[in-house]
Amino acid sequence: MMIQSLPEFHIVIPARYASQRFPQKLMADLGGKPVLQWVYELALKAGAQSVIVATDHEIIQKAALKFGATVVMTRDDHENGTERLAEVAAKMGWQSDEIVVNVQGDEPFLPVDLIHSAVMALSRDQDAEMATVACSIEQLEDFFNPNVVKVICDEKQRALYFSRSPMPWDRDGFASNSDRIGVLPADFPALRHIGLYVYRASLLARYADLPMSPMERWEKLEQLRFLHQGIKVQVAMAEGLPTHGVDTPEDLEKLRHQLSLACM
């Protein structure tokens, strides 16, 4: 996709220093530089109007400034990255129709094309206030895995529902075959949600007033808060699943190994 065809957009990288599963992971070394620096550099390649690292910790701030990033210090009581984005959007004075991309600080190999696809999807749907990404699910094992979030879309490619449960359900097919190992039929409309989010600044400005929805509380999926409020979420399609981010030390070691192979 040509960058020239894209509307203007901003990228914000929420960067928490603490993490329950992997503390200080954004500062972990990956091929000679911090994970966060990889993310910032890929964000620069996306052609955004601005790229901002949003953090509440001085160690992140100092590291980001060292590799040339623009940094906005935020409050330390945010519950999630969306709240941090909302604070940045307000501080920067972005207009209601401006597009803001949330790029996770632990996704060093996120394809730039996914950012472009999500931005274009939101830009084309004037009734949608946010966009995200999905790809096809091919393996039955993934379809039944509660850690793989599924999404169902309507005819306009807007999200109808996100769930950890398998959906849609093949009533006849699954009833006659209980084996959860194998390949789904090629025409089976199972979609895997990829956690890249793009917002209009107007939605971020209202985010603090949106209460947690009942389904969000049970599913532990923040995007259900938006659907519960009737907010339209456009879903861009990816050709495949991008490289996994850094959630655990094991993830980091896998990425280090992939990087070493690529440099051979």
Side-chain angles (χ1 to χ4, degrees):
M1 183 183 297
M2 296 294 292
I3 291 179
Q4 289 85 344
S5 66
L6 290 168
E8 290 186 345
F9 63 98
H10 306 278
I11 292 178
V12 179
I13 306 170
R16 290 178 63 244
Y17 184 69
S19 173
Q20 291 183 344
R21 284 188 290 180
F22 188 2
Q24 305 174 33
K25 64 181 179 180
L26 301 190
M27 293 294 96
D29 179 79
L30 177 61
K33 54 190 176 185
V35 169
L36 180 61
Q37 185 174 348
W38 284 90
V39 177
Y40 180 75
E41 290 174 355
L42 78 83
L44 289 178
K45 296 175 183 177
Q49 190 175 2
S50 63
V51 178
I52 294 172
V53 173
T55 187
D56 58 3
H57 204 287
E58 289 184 359
I59 290 180
I60 296 281
Q61 179 191 36
K62 290 178 181 178
L65 290 174
K66 186 176 180 180
F67 58 72
T70 300
V71 181
V72 171
M73 295 299 291
T74 58
R75 303 197 317 267
D76 61 3
D77 60 346
H78 290 308
E79 293 185 1
N80 53 52
T82 308
E83 289 186 2
R84 209 173 299 279
L85 253 71
E87 182 181 351
V88 171
K91 283 185 172 181
M92 300 302 293
W94 290 333
Q95 299 300 306
S96 60
D97 60 343
E98 293 192 74
I99 295 174
V100 186
V101 182
N102 181 349
V103 172
Q104 298 296 328
D106 58 4
E107 296 282 352
F109 299 136
L110 179 73
V112 170
D113 284 351
L114 287 190
I115 297 173
H116 293 170
S117 294
V119 168
M120 287 301 300
L122 181 58
S123 175
R124 292 185 183 122
D125 189 343
Q126 293 302 311
D127 292 327
E129 293 185 81
M130 64 180 288
T132 189
V133 184
C135 66
S136 296
I137 299 176
E138 297 179 355
Q139 301 297 321
L140 273 167
E141 182 179 5
D142 291 336
F143 185 66
F144 287 100
N145 184 349
N147 293 317
V148 174
V149 178
K150 275 68 69 174
V151 59
I152 290 180
C153 302
D154 65 13
E155 64 178 0
K156 294 183 178 179
Q157 204 58 27
R158 293 173 183 163
L160 289 171
Y161 192 67
F162 297 88
S163 182
R164 298 184 183 278
S165 298
M167 64 177 193
W169 187 259
D170 180 0
R171 187 195 65 174
D172 297 332
F174 294 148
S176 61
N177 183 6
S178 60
D179 186 3
R180 296 187 176 186
I181 303 297
V183 179
L184 287 166
D187 60 345
F188 190 69
L191 298 179
R192 176 179 188 146
H193 178 229
I194 299 172
L196 172 69
Y197 295 102
V198 180
Y199 305 90
R200 298 193 191 277
S202 56
L203 177 57
L204 292 173
R206 299 182 354 247
Y207 180 78
D209 296 326
L210 301 179
M212 179 181 289
S213 71
M215 289 301 97
E216 175 190 1
R217 183 166 64 89
W218 290 108
E219 295 256 23
K220 299 297 187 288
L221 296 174
E222 181 192 351
Q223 57 269 40
L224 292 175
R225 182 179 311 191
F226 300 104
L227 293 186
H228 187 74
Q229 296 293 326
I231 292 165
K232 296 178 176 60
V233 181
Q234 182 62 221
V235 180
M237 289 301 301
E239 292 185 1
L241 189 66
T243 301
H244 189 65
V246 182
D247 290 332
T248 65
E250 292 75 21
D251 292 334
L252 181 62
E253 288 304 319
K254 290 178 182 178
L255 293 183
R256 284 172 174 166
H257 180 65
Q258 291 177 20
L259 195 59
S260 66
L261 292 178
C263 294
M264 291 179 63

